[in-house]
Amino acid sequence: MLQAPARSTEGSRTPAVSDTMAQPKGTVVLAYSGGLDTSCILVWLKEQGYDVIAYLANIGQKEDFEAARKKALALGAKKVYIEDVSREFVESFIWPAVQANALYEDRYLLGTALARPCIARGLVGIAQQERAAYIAHGATGKGNDQVRFELSCYALCPKIKVVAPWRLPEFYQRFPGRRELMDYAKKHGIPVPVTPQTPWSMDENLMHISYEAGILENPKNQAPPGLYTKTCDPAKSPDTPDVLEIEFERGVPVKVTNTGDGATRSSALELFVYLNDIAGKHGVGRIDIVENRFVGMKSRGFWHSPECEFLRECIGRSQESVVGTVRLSVFKGHVYILGRESPRSLYNEELVSMNVQGDYEPADATGFININSLRLKEYHRLQSKVTVKQDE
């Protein structure tokens, strides 16, 4: 996995273009990915009179960070910050989601939704450090990321101003399609892909890799096999399972042990990456889902809001007694629970055993059943009255 120095920066260089710039507007910190869209936005922001600082967060994506740095500087970025927030992403965002069993539609792990407030926190940090009045991003005007980025930024720094080019008529009318963006890139010396653009958009981080748009916008289209870069085909996965023991404290994993080879991991980042590697080897984690959008067409952009902080505090309290070990098997696209134990479990084997009466008096169940059946009997009585009245 590629790593980048935390908060590394490099000075300005002469941009590859020499257009007539507008009146100076101040400094903007751009959430930069190194791709075509944000590279064009970087140059466009300079055209508008901004001094651009590029910010690239390393949250576990496969990225040539040094190449992205050089590209941004060549296009005229005043500075480039590359920040490794992988550990922070796991400890401060993924683990709280694990504590809460946070799943969208009971199966999607919210990989993108959790990453955006993490990135936004880094953006705001750089903006405050550089005394920049503006933050910019390349999220579209239809999607969820614009909400996630901006609500997080405003919550962390209410005075910050956000520049969202894809919502500005002077930008999206100038670039109504990808062809116009490509023409702009060629005109201004912005490197463009030499291979045909993949017919979908992708988001990758430590937690997941997700795809949308293009051919995937039609739900009848099957996802091409080449999309699954983090998981192997379950049909081609190993014929021997990996058996793991995961120890929990306060509702989050603190240690994993592979009972086969004895390998262990205990730091949050290493543990998370190891579990991903094992799961991917066995084809675990593939889903195909149709999701909703927050702008009337899904988003959890309120991570840094008071209500979300309150919720996380409550969930944290609820997990204080969640401690113990789970033994599981990872095999052929599935995770099978083999056993679990906890020193603070409410489970009492003697109490539930069919062979030992313990402190339980079976005769007491009669009253319990009678009380719970009262509403059913009363409902039946009322229904009988209604039926008789209708027959009259």
Side-chain angles (χ1 to χ4, degrees):
M1 183 172 298
L2 294 169
Q3 300 291 326
R7 291 199 182 278
S8 58
T9 180
E10 193 167 324
S12 60
R13 295 181 183 174
T14 303
V17 295
S18 57
D19 295 304
T20 302
M21 300 297 179
Q23 290 297 316
K25 292 182 178 177
T27 301
V28 59
V29 180
L30 170 65
Y32 184 71
S33 70
L36 179 64
D37 287 27
T38 53
S39 294
C40 288
I41 287 174
L42 192 161
V43 175
W44 182 83
L45 287 169
K46 286 185 62 62
E47 279 186 352
Q48 308 310 303
Y50 294 100
D51 287 327
V52 182
I53 294 175
Y55 174 78
L56 178 56
N58 173 7
I59 48 176
Q61 71 272 35
K62 291 181 174 62
E63 182 85 53
D64 189 337
F65 294 102
E66 197 54 39
R69 179 203 304 281
K70 291 177 181 177
K71 183 177 182 180
L73 290 170
L75 295 176
K78 181 181 177 182
K79 292 182 181 178
V80 176
Y81 284 89
I82 300 175
E83 185 175 20
D84 186 347
V85 294
S86 300
R87 184 174 64 84
E88 178 184 354
F89 182 39
V90 175
E91 294 178 346
S92 300
F93 294 87
I94 295 178
W95 277 175
V98 169
Q99 284 182 314
N101 286 331
L103 293 173
Y104 174 72
E105 300 287 3
D106 294 325
R107 52 198 175 122
Y108 174 52
L109 293 172
L110 303 173
T112 298
L114 292 170
R116 295 313 187 226
C118 180
I119 297 170
R121 192 155 73 178
L123 276 172
V124 169
I126 297 300
Q128 292 174 330
Q129 177 180 319
E130 292 287 341
R131 301 185 182 278
Y134 302 91
I135 281 174
H137 61 77
T140 71
K142 285 186 177 181
N144 306 316
D145 281 343
Q146 58 179 341
V147 183
R148 295 166 179 152
F149 275 128
E150 295 182 36
L151 291 186
S152 293
C153 289
Y154 289 135
L156 295 170
C157 185
K159 294 182 179 179
I160 202 74
K161 298 179 180 68
V162 176
V163 181
W166 285 114
R167 294 205 309 268
L168 299 174
E170 61 266 34
F171 186 88
Y172 65 71
Q173 289 175 3
R174 184 176 177 183
F175 306 109
R178 191 164 187 83
R179 185 181 65 183
E180 289 80 8
L181 209 60
M182 294 283 282
D183 290 341
Y184 180 82
K186 290 177 182 178
K187 176 183 176 183
H188 295 288
I190 301 171
V192 297
V194 294
T195 55
Q197 180 68 18
T198 51
W200 51 73
S201 102
M202 177 189 78
D203 178 70
E204 181 185 12
N205 58 48
L206 272 175
M207 199 173 187
H208 81 163
I209 186 167
S210 64
Y211 302 84
E212 64 178 358
I215 62 170
L216 300 175
E217 287 184 349
N218 187 336
K220 80 173 184 180
N221 290 334
Q222 180 180 355
L227 266 67
Y228 297 104
T229 59
K230 286 184 177 287
T231 58
C232 78
D233 184 344
K236 299 176 181 178
S237 63
D239 293 326
T240 304
D242 273 282
V243 176
L244 307 175
E245 289 185 352
I246 306 176
E247 299 177 27
F248 285 79
E249 290 181 7
R250 298 177 63 88
V252 299
V254 294
K255 183 180 180 181
V256 60
T257 302
N258 191 318
T259 62
D261 59 15
T264 64
R265 303 288 188 278
S266 55
S267 74
L269 180 56
E270 288 183 344
L271 186 154
F272 188 81
V273 170
Y274 181 74
L275 289 177
N276 267 353
D277 290 342
I278 295 295
K281 182 175 76 171
H282 291 279
V284 172
R286 296 186 175 195
I287 66 167
D288 190 325
I289 189 171
V290 177
E291 56 187 2
N292 303 302
R293 287 182 179 156
F294 190 64
V295 289
M297 288 184 279
K298 142 196 149 232
S299 174
R300 284 133 296 272
F302 296 94
W303 183 271
H304 294 291
S305 65
E307 61 268 32
C308 196
E309 290 177 4
F310 172 76
L311 183 62
R312 288 198 300 276
E313 185 71 21
C314 292
I315 291 171
R317 288 290 301 274
S318 75
Q319 299 296 296
E320 287 180 353
S321 297
V322 182
V323 57
T325 302
V326 176
R327 192 165 183 265
L328 53 87
S329 171
V330 188
F331 187 58
K332 298 292 184 184
H334 294 279
V335 176
Y336 303 93
I337 304 299
L338 304 179
R340 76 287 287 162
E341 62 178 343
S342 170
R344 304 190 68 176
S345 174
L346 293 176
Y347 178 81
N348 184 330
E349 185 176 358
E350 182 179 281
L351 186 63
V352 303
S353 174
M354 297 298 181
N355 300 316
V356 181
Q357 183 170 320
D359 294 328
Y360 179 75
E361 181 57 57
D364 292 342
T366 302
F368 171 78
I369 293 170
N370 286 338
I371 289 173
N372 278 277
S373 68
L374 278 177
R375 67 179 182 87
L376 302 176
K377 294 175 181 178
E378 185 65 10
Y379 174 77
H380 179 74
R381 183 182 68 82
L382 290 174
Q383 287 299 105
S384 299
K385 274 188 175 183
V386 170
T387 303
V388 170
K389 195 167 186 178
Q390 288 176 342
D391 290 343
E392 291 178 350

